[in-house]
Amino acid sequence: MATRALLRQQQELGVKADIPQNLRFLWFDDSTKDYEMIKNRFCKIIACAEDRWFRTIDQRECDLYFQQQPASVKVILISAGRLVEDITMFIHRQHKEKLDSVYIYCLNVQKYSLVETRLKRIVTVVGIFNHPQMLLTNLRYKLITQLHLLPPPEIPVLALNAVKVHQVPNVTANPIPILPPEVVVASTPPQYSCLSSDADDTDVKWFSHPGTFWCPWNSKSCTNALNIRGEGVVEIMQQTSIPFEIHLSNKKDANDPTAYSIILSIDEKEVILRTSFGTSDSSTELHHTLQPDDGSWHRYWISFSKITLQALYGIGEIRPFFTILNSSLKESDLQQIKEIQYLHIKLNKNDRMLTDLGHIQDKVRFYIGNDPVIHELPLIIIPKEQYTLEHEVNHSAMLVENLQRPCRELYHSVYNFKLNTDDFPDFVDVIEKSIRNPAGWCHRKLVEKANRFGKPNLMVTYLRITAGKREGRAPGHSYVTEIWPPGHGSPIHNHGNVYSIVRVLHGRIFVKLYPQLTLNTNLYKPIETMFEEGQVTWMLPKLNQTHQLQNIDVHDKSAITIQCYKYGREDREHYEYFDYIANDGKSIGHFDPKSDMDYDEFKALMRQERQNLY
């Protein structure tokens, strides 16, 4: 194997680095087409002879293959999901010393997640991959790390200009983590009604946002009135986890035995959504019940509607997709449902909570909204001239006029932005070449950033090319062009409650939306959407905030987006970081969204690379 210095020199000159001489690749699947495609592309990108690869679907051939290999050989196994457990166990028993690692290649990632967990107890399982490009990129990354081409991992520090990580411990055994002060301040929900400055604009849609703040201790009452009879949404946020019960009732007296009520009760073991007349739904799943004390604010909500005759309960963002319990109300109770106009709250089953629980007043928030949760939100913004009745009734797209002012301003500022221009018509092509060429700035920068989000992972890297200066109007720069090579993506992260517009400039980007950012986020099923070139999506302070972006294109085409951010006028904190789940899944970090390069400087650099390298 070449020396480290020689490999670095080869990389700088654009020469392919050879792979370890003792490395082999065994494809255990009957998919000949995928095998040939991935093998050929891998050998083209990496200096690898095709005879290092072998395909079989027969266990006896596999056994013979291992027997014929010298003792020093290490074999990477790439297996179909349906076959991987049996063949891995066989190889582990018969040829344990020669098995380097296992890649699971299948269509359904979730289906084989338990198999992956079982196998990880005895062998190195790199992961489950359902796209050829993601498998290919991970294989390339493994070679880069084995050849020591990655820089040493950065050590996270607590300076404000660095990537900061706080460990979130096992809450049953460890104390609550100490968070940096600015994180505590920014994550604390406001003790005031938080509607934006255009709250009276009739064109703006609020998407069930409960913006009216209510404090039982300040009002000296555990009862409040809803603004509209028969419908609404209530949000409760807790930093100290304490069981609670909410009654949505048609009687002002919380103890009236004749009252018709929709009741939400939740503790550490169970959540129950029921009516006083017997309709009931419940769950004992741990990520559905009262969340643990981990230093974070947890968000619960209940919605009901006299129109749909439904009562909904969820955790995190308030939208139909993140509903946990859905209780159908009886049509025979419609008149009483229409009369519901009171909210009664009880914490820890304590009728004297105003006096006995005053010490947790600052750890609990209540917000009340008028609009119940009825339909899923359209994620795509289209121009007015393209908007039709079909979009309106199917909620498949929206107008930018329906969003708050910061989103409208950002949308109009980038709607006509283009990458390829008359003076640089092949700008995108040069970027693609810079990503693929080891001597290109894009390629080298991506390798350098492999440990940006904790444990080194080249797949979780992308480029941030910024326009303008940091002016304090957003976390980092207001305008960021982000470049996503094939197979690359972001960690699961949120955006500090900013307004945002995202437009796809080139390729397409796959987005997963999550209800909240916690270490158990993966337990919640995400909303999954593919945004195509030219499409525009949006973000509000309490909607679409927690997401993960990935380029899953299988044809070696990068995705390029422009992300625009802005604090709202109602934002009194201006949180400067993006919080993310670290690559090891064991901590939440606070990332200062720095620039990799200014846009004009980047464009000039790509001109130089076109002249000197391509």
Side-chain angles (χ1 to χ4, degrees), residues 145-351:
T145 54
Q146 282 197 351
L147 294 173
H148 309 292
L149 295 180
L150 283 177
E154 298 174 354
I155 300 175
V157 295
L158 289 181
L160 294 185
N161 62 350
V163 177
K164 302 180 297 180
V165 176
H166 71 268
Q167 296 293 324
V168 179
N170 182 332
V171 296
T172 61
N174 297 309
I176 296 174
I178 299 175
L179 305 182
E182 67 278 6
V183 176
V184 175
V185 171
S187 64
T188 301
Q191 290 180 303
Y192 51 84
S193 297
C194 46
L195 295 177
S196 69
S197 56
D198 49 5
D200 296 327
D201 190 332
T202 56
D203 288 333
V204 171
K205 295 184 178 180
W206 293 98
F207 307 116
S208 306
H209 174 57
T212 303
F213 172 70
W214 170 52
C215 176
W217 289 273
N218 289 346
S219 64
K220 296 180 172 54
S221 174
C222 294
T223 296
N224 200 353
L226 303 177
N227 292 327
I228 300 176
R229 292 190 180 193
E231 60 186 29
V233 60
V234 178
E235 176 185 34
I236 178 170
M237 299 189 70
Q238 294 187 350
Q239 190 180 36
T240 295
S241 294
I242 185 168
F244 65 89
E245 191 168 276
I246 288 177
H247 288 236
L248 301 170
S249 176
N250 63 350
K251 301 295 183 181
K252 189 174 183 178
D253 182 356
N255 298 312
D256 191 329
T258 66
Y260 177 90
S261 300
I262 299 171
I263 304 165
L264 173 67
S265 58
I266 180 170
D267 58 26
E268 298 88 348
K269 296 181 179 180
E270 187 176 24
V271 55
I272 303 174
L273 180 62
R274 62 185 177 89
T275 69
S276 53
F277 284 18
T279 304
S280 180
D281 195 5
S282 65
S283 174
T284 56
E285 296 286 340
L286 291 180
H287 58 294
H288 295 167
T289 60
L290 195 69
Q291 300 300 287
D293 278 329
D294 57 6
S296 301
W297 283 86
H298 295 285
R299 183 179 179 190
Y300 313 85
W301 55 268
I302 179 174
S303 167
F304 79 106
S305 170
K306 62 189 176 187
I307 303 300
T308 63
L309 290 179
Q310 286 184 318
L312 311 177
Y313 158 75
I315 289 179
E317 290 192 358
I318 302 173
R319 60 200 312 163
F321 193 90
F322 296 145
T323 297
I324 292 173
L325 300 180
N326 184 341
S327 182
S328 296
L329 306 177
K330 295 179 180 179
E331 192 167 353
S332 58
D333 297 334
L334 178 58
Q335 185 55 44
Q336 291 169 300
I337 295 169
K338 288 181 177 180
E339 295 171 355
I340 292 178
Q341 60 176 317
Y342 297 104
L343 162 65
H344 307 297
I345 180 69
K346 183 185 295 186
L347 298 179
N348 210 26
K349 299 181 180 180
N350 191 327
D351 291 323

Side-chain angles (χ1 to χ4, degrees), residues 406-418:
C407 281
R408 298 197 299 266
E409 293 172 348
L410 293 172
Y411 175 86
H412 292 303
S413 66
V414 299
Y415 184 73
N416 293 315
F417 177 72
K418 296 179 180 179

Side-chain angles (χ1 to χ4, degrees), residues 405-453:
R405 183 182 302 167
C407 281
R408 298 197 299 266
E409 293 172 348
L410 293 172
Y411 175 86
H412 292 303
S413 66
V414 299
Y415 184 73
N416 293 315
F417 177 72
K418 296 179 180 179
L419 293 169
N420 290 337
T421 55
D422 292 341
D423 64 330
F424 199 166
D426 56 344
F427 184 25
V428 172
D429 290 339
V430 175
I431 293 173
E432 295 278 21
K433 291 176 181 177
S434 183
I435 291 171
R436 292 192 295 267
N437 191 322
W441 179 87
C442 293
H443 182 98
R444 290 183 285 112
K445 191 66 176 178
L446 288 164
V447 172
E448 175 189 320
K449 295 179 68 175
N451 54 13
R452 179 60 57 89
F453 299 110

Side-chain angles (χ1 to χ4, degrees), residues 17-74:
D18 198 2
I19 67 172
Q21 293 297 317
N22 66 333
L23 198 60
R24 302 291 185 271
F25 303 87
L26 173 61
W27 184 279
F28 200 80
D29 189 7
D30 55 4
S31 175
T32 305
K33 182 178 179 181
D34 282 2
Y35 167 70
E36 291 294 337
M37 184 265 289
I38 290 175
K39 178 188 70 173
N40 292 338
R41 288 167 67 178
F42 181 85
C43 292
K44 182 179 179 181
I45 295 168
I46 305 292
C48 175
E50 292 190 9
D51 61 8
R52 301 263 193 110
W53 287 69
F54 179 73
R55 185 186 73 84
T56 183
I57 197 66
D58 186 274
Q59 183 173 297
R60 288 172 297 179
E61 285 187 0
C62 176
D63 186 29
L64 181 60
Y65 173 78
F66 272 92
Q67 291 179 29
Q68 293 173 344
Q69 303 304 319
S72 61
V73 158
K74 294 293 184 181

Side-chain angles (χ1 to χ4, degrees), residues 484-498:
W484 311 84
H488 287 234
S490 72
I492 299 173
H493 64 285
N494 63 21
H495 282 273
N497 292 326
V498 296

